[in-house]
Amino acid sequence: MSDQRESPPPEPVIVVGAGYVGLVTAAGLAELGHAVWVVDVEDERIQMLRDGRVPITEPGLTEAFQKHCEALHFETKLSDAIRASGARLVFVAVGTPTTRRDDSGGADLEFVDCVVQDLLCESGELALVMKSTVPPGTGNAIRENPAFREKDFAYVSCPEFLMEGEALKGVSNPDRVVIGRQEGCWAAAAVRDIHLALKPVPTIFETDIASAEMIKVVSNVMLAMRVSCANEVANVSEEVGADSSDVMYGVGLDARIGPEFLRPGAGFGGSCFAKDVKSFRAVAVAHDVTVHLPSAVLDSNEAQTERIVAKLQARIGSLETVPVAVLGLAFKPGTDDVRESPALRLATALRSAGAVVQGFDPDPGVRTKVVRHSRLAEPRDWLADREVYPTAQDAMTGVRACVVVTGWSDFASIDWRAAAQAMTGNLVLDCPGILDASRVSAAGLAYEGVGRASPGISQGVLGVG
Ligand code: UGA
């Protein structure tokens, strides 16, 4: 793609959905000089944004919103945003969670449908630019809707590949931009122009709409597969006396494989991997295509939680009434997002085994989320107020074992001597492999990682202190 062309002046745009993808997209577009109207049906969220507060933890996002406060506008109705902005492009960044209406595992398109219905009440030169992750086939179905055709609206798929915790980098310097469109679509050219203004200009890959949708979902399936592969390799490594970090490093040196997303741990989490793997499987099933990999990836991920519980049981015995610290509750470090968090999955499994969970997360927002989350999520996705502690030391007080689940760098500086005093047992299980094992051992604690045989165990050092 050439970067020689004069870019047109940035046009006003609308972003529907003030969640992770929407807010980060809005910040990225404002940085490129666009006036951005952010629309969300949640009054409270829009009011917060109007008051200059950003409702999610994402590095640099609050600063970006402050920097571009004059270019950012907030509305609760799409119609108001269209009238106020005169924008042609409506970026859709609403949630598409796994449906709870049936057990298909497909994505729930309720919020997308609402936006489409709102758009159909409007007229003029308008385009729906889909950033939300939708099941392949969705874009063509929207385009074929007679009402959509009658309005002559354009449709472009421009899936988002941002990673929470480093999302702004994902919009300002993406690996690639995928544009799904029909040949000659004016809106696709406009979306391309927006991305051509990025410096450096990213690789822009244009294809048909269904292929763009597939690229998004399959990217997450592939990444989730790699993590599950790393977890299974780690589990086997422990048994054969190999060091899985060396194994995966060596494997990743193969240019065909590469080094990313091969870190084992407590299993993958977040709002996207499991959802998109299930959604891919549901699409396959709906089209009578037999696929084996999605189920294997999901089963492997669930099994990783069971393996951690089994490890604790192997060292401690029954977990009935045994207090266990769970350090790190966000689904990964650098975010306050607890959706599908491996730590919450583990907390549920520990509780089922009779253990008493003592959780902690360094992000102050997480506490509210894991507790407040209970209204929104499956019962397994919550912690009771009493299970969340204000400091890591508090969470470790009186426990027989401490499991680090989320790899926050803060945990590297835990005072292990003080922890050893406070704990009643001596097992420290470091799932993400972020602790300095020698410091933990020097405090008289028994360090165990994921993916390498523990000398402490074979020497029988572990157990109740
Ligand atoms: C993921 C994708 O990486 C993004 O490209 C995509 O845009 C996004 O989903 C989405 O569809 O919106 P994200 O959910 O933010 O991004 O999280 P990741 O950084 O991909 O991590 C997912 C999970 O895998 C986390 O629980 C993480 O701890 C785990 N993980 C990741 C590992 O266990 N090992 C690894 O080596 C890498």
Side-chain angles (χ1 to χ4, degrees):
M1 204 47 63
S2 154
D3 60 349
Q4 305 296 306
R5 268 177 56 192
E6 270 292 303
S7 295
E11 59 178 286
V13 294
I14 292 170
V15 176
V16 185
Y20 282 92
V21 173
L23 292 176
V24 170
T25 301
L29 289 164
E31 181 70 28
L32 287 173
H34 297 267
V36 186
W37 271 257
V38 177
V39 179
D40 198 293
V41 287
E42 252 190 63
D43 278 338
E44 199 187 327
R45 200 161 256 255
I46 289 299
Q47 201 46 57
M48 251 183 115
L49 288 159
R50 284 181 178 149
D51 294 345
R53 288 176 295 138
V54 176
I56 56 171
T57 299
E58 182 60 43
L61 195 58
T62 300
E63 293 77 357
F65 268 63
Q66 279 163 358
K67 180 175 167 198
H68 298 295
C69 60
E70 292 193 353
L72 289 160
H73 312 268
F74 306 100
E75 298 289 351
T76 51
K77 289 204 178 78
L78 178 59
S79 53
D80 290 344
I82 289 177
R83 260 178 287 287
S85 65
R88 305 182 300 164
L89 302 177
V90 178
F91 289 84
V92 176
V94 294
T96 54
T98 301
T99 184
R100 295 203 187 149
R101 287 181 223 173
D102 54 46
D103 56 6
S104 65
D108 190 336
L109 295 179
E110 182 190 347
F111 302 122
V112 169
D113 289 343
C114 287
V115 181
V116 172
Q117 291 313 318
D118 286 351
L119 193 65
L120 288 174
C121 297
E122 306 297 321
S123 300
E125 189 184 40
L126 287 169
L128 191 164
V129 184
M130 187 63 81
K131 292 213 80 70
S132 299
T133 303
V134 291
T138 303
N140 286 336
I142 293 174
R143 280 191 52 253
E144 281 156 20
N145 174 339
F148 200 88
R149 272 176 187 273
E150 198 179 304
K151 295 275 179 172
D152 203 22
F153 291 153
Y155 186 98
V156 177
S157 166
C158 185
E160 188 52 67
F161 298 100
L162 63 83
M163 278 169 66
E164 290 179 25
E166 41 194 284
L168 285 178
K169 197 180 114 232
V171 287
S172 63
N173 187 14
D175 284 350
R176 83 300 209 187
V177 174
V178 173
I179 298 177
R181 47 56 182 147
Q182 283 205 298
E183 287 294 343
C185 170
W186 65 265
V191 171
R192 186 191 318 131
D193 283 337
I194 288 176
H195 292 98
L196 285 174
L198 288 167
K199 298 283 176 284
V201 177
T203 300
I204 299 178
F205 178 56
E206 296 198 17
T207 179
D208 61 86
I209 293 167
S211 299
E213 292 165 341
M214 278 290 275
I215 290 169
K216 166 65 200 193
V217 173
V218 173
S219 296
N220 276 352
V221 172
M222 192 71 91
L223 292 171
M225 259 167 52
R226 288 170 71 95
V227 175
S228 280
C229 173
N231 286 332
E232 294 197 353
V233 168
N235 300 341
V236 176
S237 296
E238 287 173 8
E239 304 304 326
V240 301
D243 181 331
S244 73
S245 54
D246 279 5
V247 174
M248 292 326 262
Y249 178 75
V251 168
L253 286 175
D254 185 329
R256 295 168 301 174
I257 297 173
E260 302 291 340
F261 278 70
L262 296 178
R263 278 177 288 109
F268 59 75
S271 65
C272 304
F273 277 12
K275 167 176 85 82
D276 292 349
V277 175
K278 285 180 196 160
S279 162
F280 178 69
R281 181 176 60 186
V283 169
V285 169
H287 289 85
D288 271 338
V289 180
T290 306
V291 286
H292 301 285
L293 288 173
S295 299
V297 170
L298 295 167
D299 290 350
S300 171
N301 201 46
E302 295 282 333
Q304 199 63 8
T305 307
E306 290 156 25
R307 184 163 170 96
I308 295 167
V309 176
K311 266 188 180 191
L312 293 174
Q313 286 165 330
R315 312 300 169 232
I316 292 174
S318 165
L319 294 180
E320 206 57 54
T321 73
V322 169
V324 175
V326 174
L327 298 192
L329 303 174
F331 86 93
K332 67 174 182 180
T335 178
D336 63 344
D337 193 346
V338 296
R339 288 174 292 176
E340 300 281 335
S341 168
L344 300 185
R345 214 157 48 222
L346 177 66
T348 303
L350 286 171
R351 255 193 246 117
S352 305
V356 177
V357 173
Q358 303 195 174
F360 167 73
D361 194 280
D363 187 303
V366 164
R367 185 194 174 85
T368 352
K369 289 207 169 171
V370 285
V371 178
R372 198 181 56 174
H373 207 59
S374 60
R375 281 197 274 118
L376 311 169
E378 297 293 333
R380 71 178 220 167
D381 290 341
W382 56 268
L383 289 181
D385 236 340
R386 64 172 186 288
E387 291 174 305
V388 190
Y389 286 67
T391 68
Q393 286 295 337
D394 289 334
M396 287 189 286
T397 299
V399 298
R400 294 264 293 277
C402 168
V403 188
V404 177
V405 183
T406 311
W408 287 101
S409 55
D410 309 47
F411 297 148
S413 53
I414 283 177
D415 179 347
W416 290 106
R417 287 190 191 281
Q421 295 293 316
M423 287 170 67
T424 55
N426 68 351
L427 175 58
V428 176
L429 178 50
D430 176 15
C431 300
I434 47 133
L435 303 180
D436 178 344
S438 60
R439 280 191 54 230
V440 176
S441 305
L445 293 166
Y447 175 90
E448 188 173 350
V450 166
R452 63 188 75 96
S454 165
I457 290 161
S458 53
Q459 288 157 24
V461 191
L462 297 175
V464 183

